[in-house]
Amino acid sequence: MLMKKLLSRKTVSKVASFAVFEGKLTLVCPAEDGNGWISDSAEAASRESWTSAIAQLINTHQLNGCRIRLVLGHGLYQSLVIDKPALPRHELASALPFLVKDLVTEPPANLIADGFEEPIKNKLQVLTAQRALVQQLVLACLANGCEPELITVDEVVLGQVTAEKQSQLILHSRQHSGLHLTAFKQQVMCFQRQLRGFSQPLTGLEQADLQIDGLALELQRSLDFLSAQLRDAPITQVLVSCDSDDNEQLADALRQRLNVPVATVSGAPAELTDFDARVAWAAQLQQPLVNLYSDSLKPQSNWLTLPNLVAGWAAGAVVIGSLAGWQSWQEYRATQLLAQQQARLTQKQTELDNAKAALARHLPSELKVRLSGELEQHLVAKQATLRAIAMHDNSLQAGYAKMLQQLAQAASQDISVSRIHVQGQQLDLEGVARHPNAVPGWLQSFSRYPQLADRRFEVMSLGRNEENRVTFMLQAQRKTEAKP
């Protein structure tokens, strides 16, 4: 049972997201049937009550064992822009608290930070949060059997509701909260701004037109700034997501005052109507562009405990005992095999001795050996004689006059034969030629003469003599001699 506990691993598949804001936590997770999303929220009067609010939501929706993604809302983190340091990505989490220590009031030891490269300039967008705050959320998830895997911020994940290949500006606000502008280039945050001096709702009041005119002016200023910065991918659309207003009415009013298209946010599921639920849903899709859940926050496993030591000793004893038993069995098998091989060796040695004794009784006499050698020599001489007789065919009896006569008829002005050697069907020729091409042409003329047509040459060599004249040598095709 103890070994099973040590070797078992937790299987997690479902992912749930929490949007954490002052006074409220919102949960979003996939529905059980896979169609649609579940959204729920719990009030939190103070940060100390976050733990109970998380436990309430996890237990209500039976999310024990799920992976958790946390989204920190506005006011729970700081956004800073610094020069991009010459550090690898995996060292940023530990180095950033010290790089921004002059820009924040908290000491580096109390901060958790991460960042990403801005699309507009060669700067680093840094996001920091208090370590105690993040640690409280992590411990609340772990206490309820869940595994945190991502901690990010609302303005970063909000890019998931924008178009993937475009640059868009989002006007957004939570219920009874201020207005914010956030621009995204291909879903990566590149600009953020808080708008002050506006009362909400923006529509439906007596001075609504005046407020919207002022809002349109602020939007236009931001659009002008972004058009100068994003020359390769200018803002193509303004999206509206304000919890306190009728977004369709607000978008229509702004559309009449701006030169760019204005629409409501449509990238999020329709059942998620408020800002908190939308950013929690966006965290489900968010790639780890920013992750404040660093290795220093992850729980460290303490394996050096008494039960683990006892289990290790027990496992070691079992392994050692098993190895000893296996070794003993192998030695027994080796002893049995050795005895069998020794018995076979004794038997074969006896058979060898008997064979040697029999061989000694059947050794041939010296006279028989000598006579056998003489007979072999006589047989070799007879075979040589037969091969010599085979070389004398009918052509030797008939003579070579006709062949020489046809060779004379095949004479060429470009060929001069200096040596002729004939033996049976073998004909060797040597001489000089006017030029190298004369020899192949002369050989082709042999086909017109019966005595020469069947002659074959296996070697033809060309060269030059001391007088720089072309010489040739033709050797006849030999018959393969039968081996004795």
Side-chain angles (χ1 to χ4, degrees):
M1 186 67 182
L2 183 58
M3 291 296 297
K4 182 177 180 181
K5 181 179 179 181
L6 288 172
L7 298 177
S8 63
R9 292 187 175 181
K10 189 182 296 183
T11 302
V12 288
S13 57
K14 193 173 182 180
V15 179
S17 302
F18 283 91
V20 182
F21 289 89
E22 293 282 4
K24 183 181 178 183
L25 278 76
T26 301
L27 164 71
V28 171
C29 63
E32 291 294 336
D33 57 0
N35 298 321
W37 298 86
I38 297 174
S39 177
D40 195 2
S41 60
E43 300 295 330
S46 63
R47 295 184 181 181
E48 288 73 17
S49 58
W50 283 352
T51 302
S52 59
I54 290 176
Q56 174 189 339
L57 293 173
I58 290 176
N59 294 329
T60 301
H61 298 280
Q62 299 179 355
L63 299 177
N64 302 82
C66 289
R67 291 175 292 166
I68 300 296
R69 295 189 169 196
L70 298 167
V71 182
L72 302 182
H74 189 73
L76 301 180
Y77 63 91
Q78 285 184 272
S79 179
L80 306 168
V81 178
I82 63 173
D83 292 330
K84 185 179 178 183
L87 292 173
R89 174 68 185 173
H90 65 275
E91 294 182 6
L92 281 179
S94 57
L96 283 178
F98 297 93
L99 294 177
V100 300
K101 64 180 180 179
D102 297 332
L103 305 176
V104 296
T105 58
E106 295 285 341
N110 296 344
L111 291 178
I112 296 294
D114 197 8
F116 61 92
E117 186 176 352
E118 270 198 343
I120 294 180
K121 315 172 206 178
N122 190 21
K123 298 284 187 179
L124 189 71
Q125 179 73 50
V126 181
L127 297 153
T128 67
Q130 294 179 6
R131 176 182 290 271
L133 180 148
V134 176
Q135 206 161 25
Q136 178 186 354
L137 297 172
V138 170
L139 293 176
C141 296
L142 294 174
N144 290 277
C146 295
E147 179 184 347
E149 68 171 6
L150 176 69
I151 301 177
T152 184
V153 301
D154 56 352
E155 289 190 312
V156 172
V157 300
L158 196 59
Q160 294 298 317
V161 302
T162 63
E164 185 176 355
K165 301 296 183 181
Q166 298 180 16
S167 298
Q168 294 178 317
L169 179 66
I170 301 182
L171 172 66
H172 58 91
S173 68
R174 296 179 64 235
Q175 191 75 27
H176 307 301
S177 181
L179 291 172
H180 296 268
L181 284 178
T182 309
F184 296 89
K185 179 183 178 182
Q186 297 179 357
Q187 296 186 330
V188 178
M189 185 180 71
C190 60
F191 171 82
Q192 55 181 332
R193 179 187 174 195
Q194 185 174 3
L195 301 179
R196 302 182 185 277
F198 295 94
S199 60
Q200 294 178 280
L202 296 169
T203 59
L205 300 177
E206 295 181 0
Q207 298 180 348
D209 291 341
L210 185 59
Q211 278 207 112
I212 294 176
D213 289 341
L215 177 60
L217 180 59
E218 294 296 333
L219 286 172
Q220 191 60 53
R221 288 176 180 172
S222 298
L223 289 171
D224 293 341
F225 170 78
L226 291 171
S227 64
Q229 300 295 325
L230 299 173
R231 294 184 182 275
D232 57 334
I235 297 295
T236 59
Q237 192 178 34
V238 175
L239 301 179
V240 177
S241 176
C242 297
D243 292 349
S244 301
D245 285 275
D246 184 343
N247 288 321
E248 290 289 350
Q249 184 179 356
L250 179 58
D252 184 63
L254 292 174
R255 194 180 300 118
Q256 299 174 11
R257 293 168 170 81
L258 298 175
N259 295 327
V260 295
V262 182
T264 60
V265 169
S266 58
E271 61 266 30
L272 306 179
T273 57
D274 63 340
F275 180 81
D276 296 4
R278 285 174 177 173
V279 295
W281 166 84
Q284 296 268 343
L285 314 176
Q286 171 69 18
Q287 299 301 318
L289 183 65
V290 171
N291 190 359
L292 298 176
Y293 188 45
S294 62
D295 293 338
S296 62
L297 293 173
K298 295 178 181 178
Q300 303 297 322
S301 300
N302 184 16
W303 297 102
L304 195 61
T305 60
L306 181 59
N308 291 350
L309 290 176
V310 172
W313 293 338
V318 170
V319 171
I320 293 174
S322 300
L323 290 175
W326 179 80
Q327 187 67 27
S328 299
W329 170 252
Q330 291 296 320
E331 290 180 0
Y332 172 76
R333 292 292 304 274
T335 303
Q336 294 288 334
L337 183 61
L338 178 60
Q340 294 175 5
Q341 295 298 327
Q342 287 178 342
R344 291 182 60 188
L345 178 61
T346 302
Q347 179 184 357
K348 294 298 181 183
Q349 188 66 41
T350 303
E351 293 176 359
L352 178 61
D353 294 341
N354 295 336
K356 286 182 177 180
L359 179 62
R361 292 193 297 270
H362 292 84
L363 289 176
S365 64
E366 294 182 0
L367 178 61
K368 291 181 180 180
V369 173
R370 186 173 68 252
L371 290 176
S372 174
E374 292 176 355
L375 288 175
E376 288 181 357
Q377 294 177 359
H378 183 69
L379 180 60
V380 170
K382 292 293 185 181
Q383 289 176 345
T385 303
L386 290 176
R387 287 195 299 271
I389 294 173
M391 297 295 294
H392 292 69
D393 56 3
N394 295 331
S395 62
L396 294 176
Q397 301 174 5
Y400 303 108
K402 191 170 183 180
M403 185 270 293
L404 293 174
Q405 181 181 5
Q406 292 182 3
L407 183 63
Q409 293 174 357
S412 171
Q413 296 180 354
D414 297 329
I415 300 295
S416 175
V417 180
S418 60
R419 179 178 177 273
I420 302 175
H421 179 267
V422 184
Q423 182 179 0
Q425 292 297 323
Q426 302 173 1
L427 174 62
D428 297 342
L429 300 173
E430 295 183 16
V432 295
R434 192 179 301 275
H435 50 83
N437 294 334
V439 178
W442 181 49
L443 292 178
Q444 290 180 357
S445 67
F446 284 10
S447 61
R448 299 196 298 270
Y449 304 97
Q451 292 294 324
L452 301 176
D454 296 334
R455 303 286 178 175
R456 297 290 182 269
F457 301 96
E458 68 177 6
V459 177
M460 181 181 77
S461 61
L462 298 176
R464 291 187 180 272
N465 57 17
E466 296 177 354
E467 300 174 358
N468 201 26
R469 299 179 63 186
V470 177
T471 62
F472 69 89
M473 181 178 67
L474 300 172
Q475 293 184 356
Q477 182 177 6
R478 310 294 183 185
K479 292 184 179 179
T480 303
E481 297 182 358
K483 295 184 179 180

